[in-house]
Amino acid sequence: MRQLATVALLLGTLTTGLMAGLFAAFSYAIMPGLHRGDHRTFVAAMQQINRAILNPWFMSCFMGAIVALGAATALHWSGDRRVALPFVIASLALYLLVFLVTVAVNVPLNEQLDAAELPAGGDGAGLAAVRERFESSWVFWNLVRAVACIASFGCSAWALVLHGRAGT
């Protein structure tokens, strides 16, 4: 049972780390870079990113973190593994916040942006309005999920340390 708990916690730590890196990269590089572009470039790039990200690699990490942290929580509920339990629970709770923000805010914004028509020629007021409805809200909520996901990763990494110490 200890080996299964180790694997679940390790997978939870890896998947939250990968997701934290993705959300953080959007916060400190991708969105600031796109912000510098014109409206057409911004909208078209985000539409393509939002379509491309829906792939098995992303979904494995995004959903896998919940499964792995949930399993790690259950497997740390008893015995010497309990020492790591508060940090495993904190990691799961923080990641569930990431999940809820993604599903309740970022995905609907992505869907609205995806439905926006790109008018032919120029950088018209229509594109500016589409961008204005999307950008600031999406950036803010992405920052929320980046911070929560980094904290989730930190909690699961510390839980992994405690789990390892308890086994020695």
Side-chain angles (χ1 to χ4, degrees):
M1 202 56 109
R2 179 166 180 74
Q3 289 178 337
L4 191 55
T6 302
V7 169
L9 185 53
L10 183 58
L11 287 174
T13 303
L14 289 171
T15 52
T16 57
L18 288 166
M19 294 309 299
L22 175 69
F23 296 139
F26 266 93
S27 291
Y28 62 69
I30 296 168
M31 297 310 287
L34 289 176
H35 181 75
R36 296 176 181 174
D38 61 42
H39 301 313
R40 177 173 298 284
T41 301
F42 178 90
V43 172
M46 283 304 298
Q47 285 177 331
Q48 293 307 313
I49 289 168
N50 290 335
R51 291 173 190 150
I53 203 164
L54 296 176
N55 64 67
W57 291 107
F58 171 79
M59 293 308 288
S60 294
C61 291
F62 183 65
M63 298 304 294
I66 293 172
V67 172
L69 292 173
T73 299
L75 292 165
H76 281 82
W77 210 261
S78 64
D80 65 341
R81 297 179 305 273
R82 268 187 88 75
V83 68
L85 185 61
F87 290 96
V88 178
I89 291 171
S91 180
L92 177 60
L94 287 161
Y95 194 81
L96 287 173
L97 173 63
V98 170
F99 181 82
L100 290 174
V101 167
T102 300
V103 171
V105 181
N106 291 90
V107 168
L109 286 169
N110 291 348
E111 290 171 349
Q112 290 171 10
L113 186 70
D114 191 52
E117 296 289 327
L118 295 178
D123 191 27
L127 282 172
V130 166
R131 181 178 183 172
E132 185 177 319
R133 285 191 303 271
F134 176 85
E135 187 176 15
S136 63
S137 182
W138 196 95
V139 166
F140 172 79
W141 287 105
N142 183 69
L143 180 59
V144 168
R145 65 186 179 165
V147 169
C149 203
I150 290 165
S152 174
F153 174 65
C155 287
S156 62
W158 186 246
L160 199 54
V161 169
L162 295 174
H163 173 85
R165 286 180 183 168
T168 57

